[in-house]
Amino acid sequence: MFSDIQNNNTIHVVFSIWNLADSYNKYAGTAITSLLKNTYGPVEIHLLYDENYKKNDLEYDANREKYKILENRFNTKITCHHVEMPAWCSTLPKLRFFTLGTLLRLMLPDVLPEIHKVIYLDCDVIVRKDIRELWDVDMGKYCLGAYLHENGDEFNAGVLLMDLAGIRKRYEFSKQTLAFLANHPNTQTVDQAALNSVFKEDYYHLDKKYNLTTENHGSLGPEDIVIHFSWIKPWKIYQDFPGYYEFWEYFSDTPWCCDATELLKEVSSVSNFSSEQIITDTRNLIYIPLRKRLNYFLKFSQSFIMVNVRELIVRVFHK
Ligand SMILES: [Mn+2]
């Protein structure tokens, strides 16, 4: 019997989350918020966790509550999938730099057996325009779409358009990619190398506007849809790049940022801030494009100290 679980109008987007230090949920939350704010058709979000991230964890529950806020706000569905990886995967040497979470995408055709097509996104992205434009890309004969930088020798695996039905027919996706990793445990880019080795030239070349990686950040324009912080993470290092500000603006609009104190705490953990400078620099750097609104915010918050700060942020950003 043909399963009609995939309504053709619904865009399915997948993120994989490695949350050992309780950090990636908030970045995934930022990416999801940006995506849902800018996309107008129906979207369903799938979160891949490794199997050890237990459902009865307090932290899991706290994050789940925040995803529920997003579900209600954007009238969408956010489903968690706990993915079982072979035990040997966690011993791959490069996973000291990457995490097991990076491998979860390799299990996608099996984790979502009834879904025909997905967009896979890393958590270190923001989506600035309707993601349907990527969803509707006609890949012709190909069943995978990815971006290859002109100087690169591997396509980037952080944004993938995946015709899962086609992949299931033509590849033994998980088996082949995991076999590559078993045979090349020291490969630098782990899952990305595995995907490149399996697909070789058999993929559709996506335009860079769907995956504006760090090496292209200088060329950010209004047409760019997905900014990918592929190397320099905005939560680690300050960058003189408009996308950096956009990231924190979206973060401030997530349920992970309930008040201005949390925003300050997050921003001040960026490594090239010195401790004395934190407050001044945060105000100066984060809000350069938003200074007017920040001043308004400060004035407003001083006179209404007892008012819920979250409410203030919402009012300021949506003015
Ligand atoms: Mn990435």
Side-chain angles (χ1 to χ4, degrees):
M1 194 186 82
F2 177 68
S3 160
D4 197 26
I5 194 164
Q6 179 152 6
N7 173 343
N8 281 337
N9 200 27
T10 302
I11 300 172
H12 290 262
V13 186
V14 183
F15 294 86
S16 58
I17 299 181
W18 174 256
N19 201 52
L20 210 57
D22 192 22
S23 58
Y24 261 69
N25 276 299
K26 60 192 172 203
Y27 307 135
T30 305
I32 292 167
T33 299
S34 68
L35 180 130
L36 295 173
K37 279 185 89 166
N38 294 312
T39 300
Y40 295 96
V43 178
E44 259 189 69
I45 308 281
H46 302 270
L47 306 179
L48 309 186
Y49 290 103
D50 82 291
E51 59 188 325
N52 297 317
Y53 193 55
K54 293 282 186 268
K55 287 181 190 170
N56 54 4
D57 231 21
L58 274 179
E59 185 193 294
Y60 178 89
D61 291 344
N63 282 311
R64 190 62 224 155
E65 285 305 310
K66 291 177 170 128
Y67 288 120
K68 272 199 193 119
I69 295 171
L70 290 180
E71 283 184 315
N72 294 333
R73 176 175 168 194
F74 294 105
N75 189 27
T76 186
K77 202 169 142 198
I78 303 179
T79 314
C80 300
H81 306 267
H82 295 262
V83 181
E84 201 176 324
M85 297 298 297
W88 62 265
C89 285
S90 53
T91 65
L92 286 167
K94 285 290 174 280
L95 293 189
R96 273 182 243 126
F97 306 103
F98 296 92
T99 68
L100 193 64
T102 198
L103 298 182
L104 301 179
R105 77 195 81 185
L106 302 182
M107 312 307 276
L108 263 176
D110 306 318
V111 173
L112 303 174
E114 294 181 272
I115 306 287
H116 305 161
K117 178 177 166 185
V118 298
I119 291 172
Y120 171 87
L121 295 177
D122 274 0
C123 293
D124 53 355
V125 304
I126 52 172
V127 179
R128 314 162 76 226
K129 294 177 72 177
D130 201 318
I131 201 72
R132 181 165 294 278
E133 199 180 319
L134 171 56
W135 182 256
D136 287 341
V137 166
D138 178 4
M139 297 197 288
K141 62 176 179 159
Y142 299 110
C143 52
L144 181 82
Y147 167 67
L148 171 71
H149 188 269
E150 54 199 15
N151 301 323
D153 44 18
E154 284 181 352
F155 63 73
N156 183 281
V159 175
L160 301 171
L161 180 59
M162 302 172 83
D163 167 8
L164 289 181
I167 289 174
R168 284 185 204 104
K169 253 185 235 152
R170 292 171 48 197
Y171 288 92
E172 290 189 274
F173 184 82
S174 310
K175 205 173 152 189
Q176 287 176 269
T177 49
L178 290 178
F180 174 86
L181 288 175
N183 294 326
H184 305 82
N186 288 308
T187 178
Q188 293 292 326
T189 53
V190 201
D191 54 291
Q192 181 168 294
L195 286 165
N196 273 272
S197 87
V198 170
F199 284 88
K200 297 188 176 72
E201 287 306 312
D202 186 26
Y203 72 97
Y204 179 87
H205 287 246
L206 290 177
D207 190 275
K208 75 170 184 219
K209 70 180 174 181
Y210 299 113
N211 187 356
L212 198 81
T213 51
T214 300
E215 55 266 56
N216 284 321
H217 281 183
S219 71
L220 178 69
E223 71 286 358
D224 292 315
I225 296 179
V226 180
I227 296 178
H228 182 189
F229 300 96
S230 47
W231 287 106
I232 308 172
K233 314 296 179 203
W235 55 88
K236 285 193 175 148
I237 298 176
Y238 165 73
Q239 298 152 71
D240 186 15
F241 161 57
Y244 175 85
Y245 303 106
E246 290 183 24
F247 171 84
W248 288 110
E249 190 171 359
Y250 284 117
F251 173 78
S252 73
D253 196 19
T254 71
W256 283 263
C257 182
C258 295
D259 55 36
T261 321
E262 269 179 73
L263 182 58
L264 275 177
K265 196 181 101 196
E266 289 293 329
V267 174
S268 58
S269 66
V270 171
S271 69
N272 44 353
F273 279 90
S274 78
S275 55
E276 315 88 69
Q277 283 180 321
I278 283 170
I279 300 296
T280 331
D281 284 358
T282 301
R283 286 181 183 154
N284 289 341
L285 294 175
I286 293 306
Y287 290 105
I288 284 171
L290 305 171
R291 186 167 283 157
K292 268 193 185 156
R293 286 190 276 175
L294 178 70
N295 288 337
Y296 175 83
F297 166 70
L298 291 173
K299 244 161 101 187
F300 203 74
S301 53
Q302 278 160 10
S303 45
F304 291 91
I305 290 162
M306 299 308 287
V307 177
N308 183 317
V309 181
R310 165 76 195 162
E311 175 65 24
L312 290 177
I313 290 175
V314 168
R315 286 165 80 163
V316 169
F317 283 156
H318 295 274
K319 232 162 58 80

